[in-house]
Amino acid sequence: KQSLRYGNPAYREWFARLQERAHVLVAPVLSAGGVDAAAAVELAPYLVDSFGNCTRIDYGTGHETTFVAFLLCLALMGAVGEGDRQALVTRVFAQYLRLMRNVQRQYWLEPAGSHGVWGLDDYQFLPFYWGAAQLCNHPNFRPSSIHSLDVIKQHSDEFLYLGCVRFVLEVKKGPLAETSPMLNDISGLPSWARVHSGLLKMYEGEVLGKFPIMQHFLFGSLLTLDDPGCREASSSSSSSSAAAAARPAASPPPFAAAPTATAAPWAVAAGAPAPTAAPWAAAAGAPAA
């Protein structure tokens, strides 16, 4: 047994097995989608990096983003199509989330870049965003419904957002207002549409716009760094990060537009659908730490 609160070294053995099997896991997915299995050589690193870092024994929103990049690569090559979009979130990503929670519990991965009590979750972000989208037109549940234990117990397997809240309640002891004040503040918004649009802006600023997170992102022939917009975003993020270190307090850097992905030579000419951004509605910010 490990006495460490975080960072069970046995995780490195689990991760090594994943690295060994990654190509074998990816190739059949490509073949089933009518794509040359040789492309697994580029996609396998995305899959591996989606499950944390074996050196630091940590996991965070950057790794979660890499898994979404893996799904995007499948879409760019035509292995998944327009009709698979909903299932990619509610089935594929949801299964990935369940697996990662088991890994987190088993090996106590260190939260990578976590905001701690002032974050949504020590590890995840996107299930909150997609979960809010699931609930946008729900006739009964409101953002404040997360405070109902009956709602959480009965519906957390059905809705991603409620499942996230259940996980927080399981791993953090104490009232939600104390352990997760940002989630508590968000629950005061009048509609899920406001939550959804606000989380998108937060994800852009706090994950995609943060150089310490995105410096580890993988680029290749599918998602390329050659795009001028990508170079501009990288330069802007790096400069903003350096400036932030030189002053006591800093606001999140403005988010640069994401580059258009370029298909690999083996790819089917199919572009990934652009995300839909709900109009940002101003909401009360989280209290200062």
Side-chain angles (χ1 to χ4, degrees):
K1 290 185 178 180
Q2 292 290 330
S3 60
L4 300 176
R5 174 63 179 87
Y6 284 116
N8 187 334
Y11 166 72
R12 294 193 175 108
E13 298 178 13
W14 181 90
F15 195 88
R17 292 196 298 271
L18 172 63
Q19 287 179 307
E20 292 173 0
R21 298 183 58 196
H23 190 281
V24 176
L25 293 171
V26 173
V29 176
L30 295 173
S31 297
V35 178
D36 187 351
V41 69
E42 179 165 346
L43 266 66
Y46 285 100
L47 181 66
V48 171
D49 202 48
S50 300
F51 290 92
N53 183 283
C54 65
T55 302
R56 301 187 302 269
I57 314 183
D58 67 5
Y59 172 87
T61 52
H63 303 107
E64 174 190 71
T65 299
T66 301
F67 184 74
V68 176
F70 171 73
L71 298 180
L72 173 59
C73 288
L74 292 178
L76 290 173
M77 291 188 294
V80 294
E82 183 75 14
D84 300 315
R85 292 174 63 182
Q86 182 173 334
L88 286 175
V89 173
T90 61
R91 298 184 64 180
V92 178
F93 183 84
Q95 183 62 35
Y96 161 77
L97 185 60
R98 284 190 288 270
L99 174 57
M100 274 317 308
R101 284 173 177 163
N102 288 336
V103 172
Q104 290 155 15
R105 286 191 177 102
Q106 181 70 28
Y107 299 109
W108 288 107
L109 306 186
E110 183 80 23
S114 170
H115 290 283
V117 72
W118 296 110
L120 292 176
D121 182 334
D122 283 339
Y123 300 106
Q124 316 291 159
F125 192 104
L126 286 172
F128 288 95
Y129 171 66
W130 282 323
Q134 275 186 302
L135 292 163
C136 274
N137 296 316
H138 199 282
N140 299 318
F141 298 154
R142 300 290 182 268
S144 59
S145 298
I146 68 169
H147 297 290
S148 169
L149 290 180
D150 287 339
V151 169
I152 298 299
K153 290 178 180 178
Q154 295 175 24
H155 300 282
S156 57
D157 290 332
E158 184 180 358
F159 297 101
L160 286 171
Y161 197 100
L162 301 181
C164 289
V165 174
R166 181 187 65 182
F167 184 71
V168 170
L169 293 174
E170 289 173 351
V171 300
K172 295 185 178 182
K173 304 304 180 184
L176 200 64
E178 296 178 5
T179 63
S180 305
M182 183 171 290
L183 276 180
N184 186 66
D185 290 345
I186 291 172
S187 72
L189 292 176
S191 68
W192 286 111
R194 287 278 296 276
V195 176
H196 180 252
S197 60
L199 288 177
L200 176 59
K201 184 174 182 180
M202 185 178 175
Y203 183 68
E204 290 174 342
E206 296 300 320
V207 179
L208 300 182
K210 293 295 187 183
F211 178 75
I213 296 176
M214 298 310 295
Q215 66 178 324
H216 303 293
F217 192 80
L218 302 174
F219 293 95
S221 65
L222 287 166
L223 303 178
T224 174
L225 191 59
D226 292 335
D227 187 281
C230 193
R231 289 198 300 269
E232 180 182 348
S234 176
S235 175
S236 174
S237 296
S238 180
S239 299
S240 298
S241 179
R247 58 180 183 267
S251 57
F255 177 67
T260 302
T262 303
W266 53 69
V268 175
T276 301
W280 170 249

